[in-house]
Amino acid sequence: MTTLTELFFLDYLQNYQPFKNYWNYEDGCVLLGCIRMYQATGNSAFAQFVLDYLSERIRMDGRIPTYPVQQYALDSFHCSKALFFAADLTGEPRYERAIHWQAEQIFQHPRTKSGMIWHKAIYPQQVWIDGVYMAAPFFAEYASRTGQNDVFREIGHWFAFLRKRLRDAKTGLYYHALDEAKIQPWADPETGLSASFWLRGEGWFLMALTDTLALLPKSEAKLRRMLADILREASESLMRYRSGNGLFCQVIDQPELTGNYTETSGSLMAAYAFMRGAELHALPDEMFDCGAEILHNIVQNKLCQAAGGVLLTDICGAAGLGGAVCRDGSSAYYLSERITENDPKGVGALMSAQAILLTSRTVPRHT
């Protein structure tokens, strides 16, 4: 039986327009959500959406013309996670070639002095918390398939560095970014850190942990333990800031701040990570139920019927640091960003969380 959320997803896909005209992370959120919904429901419409999207963008030699090579943008790796699914489902050699071509882009990507993969060419020496989500799961799956175990050492360095440098000792929350050069206007001159705790940044990080952990081979026991420890620590810290309606605020630690609101995409990312983390035995059993409750509250309170159809509301449209527009990383800045609906970052996270819940109904959560 098709659920109401599934009907919303199918209608959303039928009317979906690519978020940008190049390889971008927003579309990647929807692609991953579709893959997980297909795996959970068997509905071929989800798989077909992914294949239709990829088939017109991947050349026979594996190159991706719309991938912005010279931008060195971590964001653009997110779509590439769907290549593994397409390669396995179709057996077409071009998808396997594209996987190797994309991995080469990571190998060539600039690193900071501390060995961290930097966010974009226009943001040199900067480490953003969402960057590890864009790159680490792809790199981990690539390494698992090819046996390039040295990749796991670099992935481990990325997460250990973030835990050491971006985690706030007092709250346990993670800052949005670090400028290793300590020259950006938004960066603290002593630490290089940005100023606030942004919910979706925390959500990206939690999903980076679960999705990478799920792809690690058993031989990487030490790395698996470290990621599980970081996930438990980060999840427990975030849970302290859960609001009265069971969700989390855009500026996580300041719920009383004028204009603050419970943001949908970051709350869904947390719900997904909590449920998946429990299924991976990295989080306690009760965290699955906590994630399911957050998902339920989103569907009840943020998925709304409107004149033009069903809307997923209260999604932060975008947030960043620096650039042409003054994005100073303050709490006021994050609350000034546009609040929108049906944004792929929110819908993709809803798909992913819903897929986990659907799978749990037929497959034991804990074995």
Side-chain angles (χ1 to χ4, degrees):
M1 181 177 177
T2 305
T3 65
L4 289 176
T5 49
E6 191 174 340
L7 289 172
F8 164 64
F9 297 151
L10 293 172
D11 182 67
Y12 182 83
L13 296 177
Q14 189 173 5
N15 297 287
Y16 189 77
Q17 295 296 317
F19 202 81
K20 295 168 184 168
N21 61 5
Y22 58 87
W23 211 239
N24 65 89
Y25 77 96
E26 292 91 348
D27 290 351
C29 293
V30 177
L31 294 178
L32 283 192
C34 284
I35 291 169
R36 289 162 180 157
M37 283 298 297
Y38 169 68
Q39 292 168 339
T41 67
N43 189 329
S44 61
F46 292 109
Q48 195 60 51
F49 178 88
V50 177
L51 296 181
D52 288 345
Y53 183 96
L54 295 178
S55 64
E56 63 183 43
R57 292 170 172 82
I58 310 298
R59 288 180 177 172
M60 289 301 169
D61 64 0
R63 293 184 179 273
I64 307 169
T66 60
Y67 176 81
V69 175
Q70 297 307 316
Q71 290 184 17
Y72 292 110
L74 285 186
D75 288 345
S76 292
F77 286 109
H78 191 25
C79 270
S80 303
K81 298 171 188 175
L83 294 170
F84 300 102
F85 172 79
D88 291 342
L89 192 65
T90 69
E92 290 187 37
R94 60 171 167 162
Y95 294 124
E96 197 68 39
R97 295 182 189 122
I99 290 168
H100 290 281
W101 187 80
Q102 279 286 263
E104 188 59 32
Q105 308 312 310
I106 298 184
F107 285 121
Q108 296 176 5
H109 199 96
R111 267 66 169 174
T112 68
K113 292 180 179 179
S114 61
M116 292 299 290
I117 193 165
W118 74 24
H119 199 64
K120 291 182 183 180
I122 60 172
Y123 302 133
Q125 303 302 322
Q126 295 177 38
V127 180
W128 292 22
I129 195 69
D130 42 311
V132 72
Y133 173 69
M134 305 303 168
F138 174 88
F139 219 17
E141 187 156 9
Y142 171 77
S144 294
R145 287 178 176 239
T146 62
Q148 296 192 38
N149 294 336
D150 55 324
V151 166
F152 294 122
R153 287 194 291 274
E154 181 166 20
I155 290 172
H157 171 68
W158 292 349
F159 283 104
F161 180 92
L162 292 172
R163 184 191 211 178
K164 181 178 180 180
R165 297 291 301 278
L166 271 73
R167 180 178 179 269
D168 177 60
K170 181 179 179 181
T171 65
L173 300 174
Y174 281 74
Y175 290 100
H176 188 170
L178 166 73
D179 172 27
E180 284 200 18
K182 302 179 182 179
I183 60 174
Q184 295 301 318
W186 52 261
D188 183 283
E190 293 186 7
T191 66
L193 292 166
S194 57
S196 305
F197 303 114
W198 174 47
L199 177 61
R200 193 156 67 230
E202 198 86 12
W204 293 127
F205 183 60
L206 291 173
M207 293 197 303
L209 289 161
T210 57
D211 290 4
T212 305
L213 182 59
L215 294 165
L216 295 178
K218 291 182 179 179
S219 58
E220 292 296 323
K222 183 177 180 181
L223 180 55
R224 291 171 65 90
R225 286 194 299 272
M226 184 183 78
L227 296 193
D229 288 345
I230 298 174
L231 177 62
R232 283 193 294 272
E233 183 181 74
S235 299
E236 289 170 1
S237 296
L238 180 60
M239 281 296 292
R240 300 189 193 110
Y241 297 95
R242 200 172 175 192
S243 68
N245 65 359
L247 308 181
F248 301 99
C249 287
Q250 166 78 339
V251 179
I252 302 171
D253 62 329
Q254 301 182 60
E256 74 292 340
L257 200 63
T258 301
N260 209 354
Y261 62 99
T262 50
E263 198 275 332
T264 295
S265 67
S267 294
L268 283 167
M269 290 173 180
Y272 165 80
F274 293 164
M275 289 190 286
R276 193 162 202 210
E279 288 197 330
L280 292 169
H281 311 289
L283 293 177
D285 290 2
E286 57 265 25
M287 289 302 289
F288 187 99
D289 299 321
C290 177
E293 183 182 358
I294 294 170
L295 173 60
H296 173 78
N297 290 344
I298 290 285
V299 171
Q300 293 297 310
N301 300 300
K302 304 289 189 179
L303 197 62
C304 308
Q305 184 70 48
V310 179
L311 300 177
L312 184 64
T313 61
D314 287 343
I315 303 170
C316 171
L321 294 162
V325 180
C326 182
R327 303 182 297 179
D328 63 3
S330 65
S331 298
Y333 158 68
Y334 289 109
L335 297 180
S336 74
E337 283 288 6
R338 180 174 59 96
I339 303 172
T340 187
E341 62 277 332
N342 283 4
D343 184 283
K345 296 180 285 294
V347 177
L350 179 58
M351 286 181 174
S352 292
Q354 182 70 13
I356 290 284
L357 189 64
L358 289 172
T359 304
S360 75
R361 293 175 180 170
T362 55
V363 179
R365 294 207 317 254
H366 309 289
T367 56

